[in-house]
Amino acid sequence: MNIASSAPLAPWSTKAVNLPEHADNLIHTDAGAIEAGFAAALVAGTTVYAYLTHVPASSWGLSWVQSGGGEVRFRLPVLDGDVVDCVANGQMVEAQVGGEPRASFDVFTAEQAPERLDVSAPLSGERLVDLDVVLSDDLAGYGARCGDDLELYEAQGIVHPVVWLTLGNRVTRDNLVDGSWIHVRSVVRHLGEVPLGSTVHVESWVRDRFGTRAGDRAIVDLRFSLDGNLVAAVEHESIIRLA
């Protein structure tokens, strides 16, 4: 079945929550955000992403969680307590605050996955240290804790897709940054559902580093496997050193 034609993407809204575990990145504290030129603490991009995934996951169900994906771009900050409206135009979902777009999520199905996430192709670049991560209650339940009330994940006993970007941020933070930094974009491809409590193996490579007006950036490719089988692939871009 072509899940893209099975149902329109229905809108959804929630109030943004700034989870306390993100305080290790000072941009998610008032003091760090103000120093970087923002009005107050930024809500983590992973949290905004969790909200955006609610739209395809609620409209298309388990099939999207198992084999879909999308490209998310974070354009403007979302602050703690903002009401975030996730609205769709075709397969493009925007996270809006007061009608102003703050992030976009270009959703795709398995058939529409971009060539650069072809998991049969070998990856190259600066190889980072592999990780084995238990998708425990705090990590696996991130979506629910930040405000995604979709019951699909608990009902099916599987992890929320936000875990892949959360782990992308962990790899970036632990290997590439030493101060405030900002996650700006990711492409995510789902390759299977993952049961709660699973231990996933994380492999990562720094594909590129480059300077921009906003600061130094890095693109990291990540592959996640369970019992030797790939379950997700991510292209993760961040400003690792602010200008």
Side-chain angles (χ1 to χ4, degrees):
M1 180 182 67
N2 182 352
I3 62 175
S5 62
S6 64
L9 293 174
W12 177 76
S13 299
T14 191
K15 181 177 287 188
V17 176
N18 191 27
L19 292 175
E21 64 245 43
H22 295 300
D24 60 349
N25 180 356
L26 294 179
I27 204 72
H28 301 307
T29 67
D30 284 338
I34 291 169
E35 183 179 354
F38 298 99
L42 277 62
V43 170
T46 46
T47 296
V48 178
Y49 177 69
Y51 301 154
L52 287 163
T53 66
H54 182 103
V55 174
S58 62
S59 298
W60 295 345
L62 187 60
S63 57
W64 181 78
V65 177
Q66 293 171 325
S67 62
E71 179 167 8
V72 61
R73 292 180 179 271
F74 304 104
R75 304 182 184 280
L76 291 170
V78 173
L79 306 184
D80 186 43
D82 282 346
V83 175
V84 179
D85 301 311
C86 297
V87 296
N89 180 8
Q91 289 183 216
M92 179 64 74
V93 184
E94 285 188 340
Q96 300 179 354
V97 175
E100 181 181 37
R102 302 298 176 91
S104 62
F105 187 35
D106 188 6
V107 181
F108 58 70
T109 66
E111 298 79 10
Q112 299 164 336
E115 289 186 7
R116 64 183 184 275
L117 285 187
D118 177 4
V119 294
S120 66
L123 292 174
S124 62
E126 175 190 346
R127 183 70 182 264
L128 301 176
V129 177
D130 291 2
L131 299 175
D132 288 300
V133 180
V134 179
L135 302 182
S136 61
D137 291 342
D138 280 351
L139 182 56
Y142 181 111
R145 289 190 297 112
C146 74
D148 181 5
D149 60 2
L150 188 63
E151 297 178 355
L152 171 68
Y153 307 105
E154 183 177 0
Q156 295 291 330
I158 59 175
V159 301
H160 193 290
V162 73
V163 300
W164 312 128
L165 296 199
T166 301
L167 293 175
N169 277 351
R170 180 182 297 183
V171 167
T172 301
R173 179 197 66 203
D174 290 350
N175 292 276
L176 302 175
V177 304
D178 56 11
S180 294
W181 60 285
I182 300 176
H183 170 208
V184 296
R185 180 187 66 85
S186 288
V187 189
V188 186
R189 182 179 178 186
H190 308 154
L191 298 163
E193 61 186 66
V194 178
L196 296 168
S198 297
T199 298
V200 294
H201 185 66
V202 185
E203 299 174 281
S204 53
W205 296 257
V206 181
R207 189 209 309 165
D208 197 11
R209 298 174 185 253
F210 54 99
T212 67
R213 185 177 302 176
D216 296 334
R217 298 195 184 210
I219 297 177
V220 179
D221 290 317
L222 300 109
R223 298 292 183 265
F224 304 91
S225 57
L226 174 62
D227 298 328
N229 299 309
L230 285 173
V231 291
V234 172
E235 177 185 278
H236 205 68
E237 182 175 344
S238 304
I239 304 172
I240 58 174
R241 190 168 293 103
L242 301 178

